[in-house]
Amino acid sequence: MSRQSFRLEGGGRIDRARALGFTFNGKRYQGYAGDTLASALLANGVHLVGRSFKYHRPRGILTAGVEEPNALVQLETGAHSQPNIRATQIELYDGLTATSINAWPNVKWDLMAVNNRLGRLLPAGFYYKTFMWPRSWWMTYEKAIRRAAGLGRAPEAADPDRYERQNIHCDVLVVGGGPAGLATALAAGRTGARVVLVDQLPELGGSLLDESAGTGEAWRQSAVAELAAMDEVTCLTRTVVTGYFDHNFLIACESVTDHLGHTGAQPHLPRLKLWRIRAGQVVLATGAFERAIGFKGNDLPGVMLAGAIGTYHARYAVTPGREAVFFTNNDTAYAPAMAMAAGGARVKVADVRTEPGAVADRARAVGIEVLPGHAVVSAAGHRKVRGVMVASLGAEGQVGDPRYLRCDLVGMSGGWSPAVHLFSQSGGKLAWRAADACFIPGVPAQTTRVVGRANGTIGLSALMAEAHAAGADAAKDAGFSGSGDAPTLESDQPEQAPLQPFWSVPAKPKSERKHFVDFQNDVTVGDVRLANREGYRSVEHLKRYTTLGMGTDQGKLGNVPGLALLAEMQGVTVPEVGTTTFRAPFTPLNFGAMAGRDVGEFMDPARRTPMHDLHDEAGAVFEDVGQWKRPFYYPQPGEGKDEAVNRECRAVRNAVGMLDATTLGKIDLQGPDVPALLNRIYTNAWSKLEVGRSRYGLMLGEDGMVIDDGVTSRLGENHFLMTTTTGNAARILGWLEEWLQTEWPELKVYANSVTEQYAVAVIAGPKARDLLGEVTDLDLSADEFPFMSWREGTVAGIPARVFRISFSGELSYEINVPANHGAALWGALMETGEKHGITPYGTEAMHVLRAEKGYIIVGQDTDGTVTPLDLGMDWIVSKNKDFLGKRSLTREDTARTDRKQLVGLLTDDPQAVLPEGGQVVEELQDRPPMTMIGHVTSSYYSANLGRSIALALIKDGRQRMGDTLHIPQPLGGPTLSATVTETVFIDPDGSRLNG
Amino acid sequence: MFLIECPWCGPRDETEFSYGGEAHIARPVGGGHDMTNAEWGHYVFHRTNPKGLHRERWVHSHGCRRWFNVVRDTVSHEFLLIYKPGEKPDLPALPKSPEPPDGPGR
Ligand SMILES: [Zn+2]
């Protein structure tokens, strides 16, 4: 186990009493509680943590936070494994295991690094240019490229962890728990408003955490204590707000136990929790991201952002090097430089500004060599920086003779970009502030305020005043007052001198191909220049051509420099080139957190009928119909699907079968105007339907296309029961309500779903009457109880409505009983029916039987482009009254006589079953393309006919009776030929039905 | 996700509602049998799809199942008016956006 040789003697917020062991790339190390994986690696002198996406260049830890583009690791193994996790955000726990992503066979000897040597061949746009031709090769290329250029691996086993979602409402949401966020939350919280404060770190304080003592820390502690004591304030730590949507709805992801590792998982707690936040007012205190500067090799491990060095130094007591060169265009890099010097490191600062001012004098006073008007032009080293070349910069940007400086660490600072991501997501417009060369929030789109460094505000006292005012205003707008005085927290940092915009060291094109702008996507200054030269001059084109800002970091570091470089190359200002809209998520969001508990059986509710257990006992195979579990078929020992379905179909035609039809949609309609409603929504007439009778109806949309069908019965003078297709029940109830509420409020009708209130058993077949007669008090004679009527009585002692309707073409009774009697009814009919040869049948047999009769299924034989006339159902379309969709039936296109029409198809080979969805052609060609004239909608083997049958929608089909058509099977199987027929294959005169 | 104020139930998440398209498109009296194909086609298929204020229908499908009308700004998604079927209040004036302080971003 390595010693932590880069750990400072004292300081930091780590707990030196709690040493933690961890493994990185198979090697064991030690860190302390309070470390991140990144700080622990740096404490052990490990800089090389990964390989870059495209060129497989060695990469190190660049930042100390959420914006990290390089140090992505595969955390843990097996089912718990997570890809692409930022080492800078992983809290260290005992036993942690992580590996580099994107390196094969390992991070030190990465064979794919040959891409780096071939970098010239993989310029911007290489996907588009090189591999799009010939197109048929793309599949091959794509596989190879994905293997070579990719990120981490998804776990292959199911996720064993639990996730949760929680809703929360608040008056004021404060995002960011740094000094500005704390001051905002205090000002709002003191008014009594309900405040939620969210921060991504384990502790509140943000940049204040970089000092472990002094006035800042004292204020931080008192602020945190005051917030904790407020009843209406909720502080969420380890929580990242990833999305800001309409109407102040935000999504945040909290690590509940994720940071403990799966060894520390607690069964009663979720791994992550997704917070769904609805806020009255939002205050964003999200801070700012430091920017890199382009120079050759600025991606070498050991080259870091200056501020990150300061954070590792102060918060984690880690010095990432012993001999540092800082490279800056602003004052902020001097603080970490001086901290390192105070810790005994040798430090030099190259500042592009010729007169850096007071900050340089203070640096010199502590022994730092300052090089004004100088730039780092290149970094040298193999897998780790070992020196840099620095050179003077002329007034016109000309680079002087470089000289070599030995170092093991480079800290760069190209200025700061306010973290405007959430503001931008909310719809707010950004504004360019030239003085600080950054985008700041402009006009908000919602009740959004931005404070602190996220608003471009510099200096601790200005920032605190602004934050306090925003917190008080937000609370006031939410109806609360009494924020008290603004906190006074004097900064010991002196005023800052202006920054000098500086994005990349002037260099030859070859060198610029190693000046990295977007580290994660390997986009260089050379790529930006190439894109500009090739005419990709808008920022949106630049992004897509170079992939700038496309990775998991979404351009947190690279976007502004990329944009500024493009502007510089075009000789225009940044706003003239434009900005990009930042989209959610701010950081990658875990799928488990999004799914929450809606996984496995909870993903979608399963609806089961009251007879479900009996079907299960009978060995039924179930199929999903919407959310319902319906028996598909009931195989007996030794039977496959075909044998079972054939047996069930024969039983219905020869004896009696029984089907569970509980799932059919049932809508109870009451009121004096129900007949008027039915007249308007069905194509046929309903006024004369007598009590005790049932009628089949077809519904159209206003476009004239069939949307549903079913039987409606008159239960009483003002009382009807409508049935709908199983999958359409909710939609049709909604359809009725829509018309009743919005167009015909004068109709006195109540509609209510009673689908689940009744269980339905259908008995069908020539023996159905014999069977039912044994268990009912009803007179079943054809005169007393004719086809298309219903009667109320008892069946097996259960009060029942019995409907004599049929979807099989057989003598058939649909027995409706209160749902909790469903199983008793089914059991009684099975028992009594045994001597009649009763056979339960499933949905597949039901489909075959109805197809034998040419009965349609809406949604299978229709697809939203089919009129009743296309179905040959002219007989059900009233000429005498208006109904929804009627006018559309005479539109030019719907009135055509050569539309696709429903016909039957009988294959030449009676044993061949056509594929459903199979395309039908008139003239067969050797190979596609061929002119298609329609498709097969339903196709089955009919045991009763001893041959296959099919329904199809065929162009001008009714004029093609007797014609032979062809159904090619380009994905396999022979081309089949079939003859066009009528749609009814069995009992065309309906004698079985009416008997 | 929108927060929508159902006139009967109060403010609820958008997921409880369904969108019903443009409001105040009355079904032609008598069913449009005296209309030309073009006029009928306009009623069935054509909608205004404006940038700005839009009168539209929503239904609280996972709540009280009742329909209502709103005026929504299709740019900002602000719901400016919510009213019951049969009502039709005047359109409100669109709130004017102030210009950004440092000139517009794009
Ligand atoms: Zn409601």
Side-chain angles (χ1 to χ4, degrees):
Chain A
M1 194 176 291
S2 312
R3 214 160 44 82
Q4 301 181 47
S5 47
F6 288 83
R7 185 78 71 179
L8 298 169
E9 285 299 318
R13 290 176 180 272
I14 45 163
D15 182 356
R16 290 168 202 261
R18 284 175 59 207
L20 305 174
F22 68 100
T23 306
F24 182 68
N25 284 338
K27 201 170 163 197
R28 306 255 306 134
Y29 299 96
Q30 198 179 67
Y32 292 123
D35 261 326
T36 62
L37 175 59
S39 69
L41 286 169
L42 290 172
N44 287 283
V46 178
H47 279 263
L48 175 60
V49 293
R51 291 279 175 167
S52 73
F53 179 66
K54 199 160 96 181
Y55 302 135
H56 285 245
R57 288 171 66 87
R59 287 288 164 81
I61 296 159
L62 186 64
T63 75
V66 64
E67 69 274 34
E68 176 61 37
N70 288 343
L72 307 183
V73 300
Q74 186 91 23
L75 183 59
E76 299 303 341
T77 55
H80 295 273
S81 183
Q82 294 187 76
N84 311 332
I85 307 296
R86 291 167 295 277
T88 51
Q89 288 193 293
I90 298 169
E91 290 179 48
L92 199 64
Y93 53 84
D94 204 36
L96 180 149
T97 300
T99 51
S100 296
I101 59 162
N102 216 3
W104 184 79
N106 65 54
V107 71
K108 278 193 180 151
W109 304 105
D110 183 346
L111 294 180
M112 293 295 178
V114 69
N115 283 5
N116 189 18
R117 304 279 145 71
L118 300 177
R120 265 163 43 85
L121 304 177
L122 295 172
F126 79 110
Y127 282 104
Y128 306 108
K129 280 184 194 161
T130 317
F131 296 113
M132 286 315 280
W133 188 91
R135 196 173 291 179
S136 56
W137 288 13
W138 170 243
M139 301 290 229
T140 317
Y141 287 139
E142 195 187 16
K143 274 184 203 144
I145 293 167
R146 292 229 182 274
R147 196 181 317 128
L151 293 173
R153 296 175 308 279
E156 283 167 15
D159 191 336
D161 290 313
R162 196 155 61 78
Y163 302 86
E164 269 177 13
R165 278 196 304 248
Q166 186 164 340
N167 293 294
I168 191 168
H169 298 257
C170 59
D171 298 309
V172 180
L173 170 70
V174 183
V175 185
L182 288 173
T184 307
L186 280 175
R190 282 174 187 155
T191 66
R194 182 165 293 176
V195 176
V196 174
L197 173 63
V198 184
D199 191 77
Q200 59 188 353
L201 295 177
E203 264 187 296
L204 292 171
S207 60
L208 295 176
L209 296 171
D210 286 354
E211 44 177 310
S212 44
T215 54
E217 174 62 9
W219 182 82
R220 186 190 75 86
Q221 288 187 8
S222 79
V224 171
E226 189 179 343
L227 289 169
M230 292 176 179
D231 286 344
E232 293 294 333
V233 174
T234 305
C235 295
L236 300 174
T237 52
R238 295 192 174 97
T239 307
V240 185
V241 176
T242 60
Y244 189 158
F245 307 99
D246 291 313
H247 295 189
N248 273 357
F249 181 75
L250 296 93
I251 293 285
C253 188
E254 178 188 7
S255 163
V256 182
T257 59
D258 195 34
H259 56 283
L260 302 172
H262 65 275
T263 48
Q266 299 162 58
H268 67 292
L269 290 174
R271 180 174 178 173
L272 299 170
K273 181 185 276 187
L274 191 81
W275 289 89
R276 298 151 49 95
I277 307 167
R278 183 76 74 175
Q281 309 283 319
V282 174
V283 183
L284 301 174
T286 43
F289 294 125
E290 195 167 25
R291 301 187 293 236
I293 303 179
F295 59 86
K296 187 179 177 185
N298 63 343
D299 64 329
L300 256 185
V303 179
M304 302 175 71
L305 292 177
I309 295 171
T311 295
Y312 286 116
H313 215 271
R315 203 176 295 176
Y316 304 104
V318 169
T319 181
R322 299 207 166 87
E323 194 165 12
V325 172
F326 283 81
F327 177 25
T328 186
N329 68 345
N330 69 89
D331 279 10
T332 60
Y334 285 85
M338 286 189 275
M340 282 200 72
R346 288 181 296 277
V347 181
K348 297 182 177 65
V349 177
D351 193 325
V352 299
R353 300 173 297 180
T354 47
E355 289 172 25
V359 72
D361 298 336
R362 284 197 303 280
R364 289 189 184 102
V366 295
I368 293 174
E369 186 186 339
V370 179
L371 306 165
H374 273 69
V376 170
V377 297
S378 65
H382 181 57
R383 292 193 220 131
K384 176 71 201 297
V385 65
R386 57 177 161 74
V388 293
M389 301 297 278
V390 296
S392 64
L393 288 171
E396 306 297 319
Q398 62 275 47
V399 178
D401 290 334
R403 65 187 169 100
Y404 185 75
L405 298 178
R406 198 181 62 177
C407 65
D408 64 353
L409 180 68
V410 177
M412 51 184 172
S413 179
W416 294 76
S417 297
V420 293
H421 303 70
L422 292 176
F423 180 81
S424 178
Q425 284 183 31
S426 78
K429 294 274 178 288
L430 303 179
W432 179 251
R433 179 184 282 174
D436 297 318
C438 65
F439 284 103
I440 57 166
V443 182
Q446 307 191 36
T447 49
T448 315
R449 292 171 176 81
V450 189
V451 296
R453 305 195 66 185
N455 201 30
T457 306
I458 297 168
L460 201 52
S461 32
L463 173 154
M464 298 290 265
E466 176 185 68
H468 178 83
D473 285 352
K476 189 165 160 246
D477 285 358
F480 297 85
S481 60
S483 292
D485 296 329
T488 48
L489 180 54
E490 287 309 321
S491 168
D492 51 0
Q493 297 156 14
E495 196 149 304
Q496 288 186 15
L499 137 166
Q500 177 181 324
F502 191 87
W503 308 102
S504 183
V505 178
K508 293 201 168 73
K510 187 167 179 247
S511 168
E512 278 190 338
R513 284 200 292 268
K514 302 273 158 69
H515 293 210
F516 286 85
V517 179
D518 180 329
F519 291 74
Q520 191 171 88
N521 291 303
D522 272 347
V523 179
T524 67
V525 176
D527 292 327
V528 177
R529 200 174 293 287
L530 178 71
N532 181 55
R533 195 172 63 231
E534 297 196 345
Y536 296 86
R537 298 171 73 86
S538 117
V539 63
E540 295 300 331
H541 292 159
L542 173 74
K543 274 183 73 173
R544 281 152 187 83
Y545 192 58
T546 63
T547 68
L548 176 81
M550 296 275 198
T552 65
D553 70 338
Q554 287 288 293
K556 289 184 185 69
L557 289 176
N559 261 10
V560 173
L563 209 59
L565 284 161
L566 188 66
E568 211 170 77
M569 289 165 196
Q570 296 179 13
V572 298
T573 63
V574 172
E576 287 176 272
V577 188
T579 177
T580 57
T581 307
F582 293 99
R583 295 181 211 289
F586 172 64
T587 55
L589 191 54
N590 185 293
F591 276 108
M594 282 191 262
R597 303 294 302 274
D598 298 344
V599 291
E601 60 176 322
F602 299 124
M603 193 187 85
D604 201 26
R607 301 171 79 183
R608 295 182 176 87
T609 73
M611 295 83 117
H612 185 90
D613 290 348
L614 297 177
H615 305 321
D616 213 13
E617 285 164 23
V621 174
F622 291 90
E623 77 163 337
D624 290 340
V625 182
Q627 292 166 331
W628 287 104
K629 303 283 176 196
R630 298 196 69 178
F632 194 18
Y633 53 94
Y634 297 79
Q636 291 189 346
E639 278 185 343
K641 181 189 164 201
D642 292 348
E643 292 82 12
V645 171
N646 291 346
R647 174 178 51 75
E648 291 170 18
C649 288
R650 278 192 296 262
V652 173
R653 298 258 181 254
N654 298 321
V656 60
M658 183 155 65
L659 173 80
D660 182 354
T662 304
T663 63
L664 273 189
K666 296 182 277 296
I667 299 171
D668 187 272
L669 298 168
Q670 299 200 38
D673 293 324
V674 177
L677 173 70
L678 298 177
N679 274 335
R680 295 182 196 187
I681 58 135
Y682 277 130
T683 59
N684 48 347
W686 290 79
S687 307
K688 291 180 186 154
L689 184 71
E690 292 163 20
V691 176
R693 301 293 299 191
S694 306
R695 186 167 288 170
Y696 174 80
L698 207 53
M699 287 186 205
L700 311 184
E702 278 284 63
D703 57 2
M705 304 303 157
V706 174
I707 60 168
D708 201 49
D709 68 345
V711 170
T712 295
S713 305
R714 192 163 200 167
L715 304 182
E717 183 58 28
N718 295 334
H719 191 186
F720 291 71
L721 184 72
M722 172 184 283
T723 63
T724 73
T725 321
T726 293
N728 243 351
R731 186 179 157 215
I732 295 304
L733 179 61
W735 178 247
L736 300 180
E737 284 287 355
E738 179 181 346
W739 287 99
L740 284 169
Q741 290 181 38
T742 66
E743 196 70 29
W744 306 320
E746 74 281 2
L747 291 186
K748 295 193 182 84
V749 176
Y750 285 104
N752 206 358
S753 166
V754 291
T755 302
E756 300 202 342
Q757 274 63 35
Y758 295 95
V760 181
V762 174
I763 51 172
K767 303 246 180 83
R769 183 180 280 128
D770 296 347
L771 165 57
L772 184 57
E774 284 192 46
V775 291
T776 186
D777 54 354
L778 290 168
D779 181 346
L780 300 179
S781 67
D783 291 341
E784 268 310 304
F785 193 172
F787 181 54
M788 296 311 279
S789 65
W790 77 276
R791 296 291 179 266
E792 192 153 12
T794 62
V795 176
I798 303 163
R801 289 178 188 144
V802 181
F803 297 81
R804 194 180 156 191
I805 53 185
S806 178
F807 194 44
S808 57
E810 289 300 318
L811 171 65
S812 166
Y813 299 94
E814 299 197 9
I815 306 160
N816 287 228
V817 298
N820 52 1
H821 292 292
L825 174 73
W826 188 272
L829 290 168
M830 283 301 292
E831 202 181 312
T832 311
E834 202 179 341
K835 56 180 167 297
H836 302 288
I838 192 167
T839 302
Y841 66 100
T843 49
E844 184 64 5
M846 177 190 82
H847 277 102
V848 177
L849 293 166
R850 65 91 200 173
E852 289 173 350
K853 281 290 291 180
Y855 293 154
I856 60 156
I857 288 186
V858 172
Q860 176 167 345
D861 301 299
T862 72
D863 60 2
T865 67
V866 178
T867 71
L869 312 174
D870 299 339
L871 295 170
M873 294 173 76
D874 321 36
W875 51 271
I876 203 172
V877 178
S878 169
K879 302 266 186 298
N880 306 319
K881 56 143 198 173
D882 183 45
F883 53 84
L884 292 182
K886 185 177 191 183
R887 175 64 184 83
S888 285
L889 297 179
T890 52
R891 289 177 60 236
E892 224 164 288
D893 188 58
T894 27
R896 274 190 298 121
T897 57
D898 62 345
R899 289 171 59 84
K900 284 186 184 171
Q901 293 153 348
L902 191 72
V903 295
L905 288 181
L906 289 176
T907 46
D908 293 354
D909 171 2
Q911 299 308 306
V913 180
L914 294 171
E916 284 181 352
Q919 296 292 333
V920 180
V921 301
E922 187 174 15
E923 283 174 42
L924 211 50
Q925 310 289 330
D926 289 343
R927 58 189 147 118
M930 285 174 259
T931 306
M932 299 173 294
I933 58 167
H935 68 280
V936 178
T937 61
S938 294
S939 177
Y940 309 95
Y941 181 76
S942 163
N944 291 303
L945 293 166
R947 59 155 302 131
S948 70
I949 55 169
L951 299 173
L953 283 168
I954 304 288
K955 193 171 158 36
D956 208 11
R958 274 198 293 280
Q959 296 303 312
R960 297 181 189 269
M961 290 297 150
D963 289 3
T964 298
L965 301 175
H966 310 281
I967 299 91
Q969 301 192 76
L971 297 180
T975 293
L976 300 171
S977 298
T979 306
V980 180
T981 68
E982 296 294 340
T983 54
V984 184
F985 300 101
I986 270 185
D987 190 28
D989 58 2
S991 55
R992 289 166 164 267
L993 207 58
N994 294 304
Chain B
M1 183 168 54
F2 300 162
L3 184 69
I4 300 173
E5 181 122 9
C6 172
W8 289 278
C9 309
R12 303 296 174 93
D13 273 350
E14 183 185 342
T15 48
E16 294 186 13
F17 297 85
S18 305
Y19 182 61
E22 189 171 356
H24 305 297
I25 296 178
R27 185 161 198 268
V29 179
H33 297 285
D34 51 354
M35 292 171 107
T36 64
N37 280 343
E39 285 166 341
W40 176 258
H42 202 87
Y43 154 69
V44 176
F45 299 112
H46 288 222
R47 298 297 180 263
T48 56
N49 192 27
K51 180 180 180 182
L53 298 189
H54 187 226
R55 290 183 190 268
E56 59 195 24
R57 306 184 311 159
W58 287 80
V59 58
H60 195 185
S61 36
H62 297 285
C64 63
R65 283 179 19 204
R66 292 174 84 166
W67 285 84
F68 54 93
N69 298 315
V70 311
V71 173
R72 180 173 61 101
D73 182 341
T74 60
V75 179
S76 70
H77 299 306
E78 191 183 344
F79 283 56
L80 293 106
L81 282 179
I82 295 183
Y83 53 99
K84 296 177 181 178
E87 301 171 357
K88 194 176 180 184
D90 289 340
L91 285 181
L94 252 187
K96 241 197 150 76
S97 315
E99 277 303 303
D102 290 15
R106 210 168 51 192

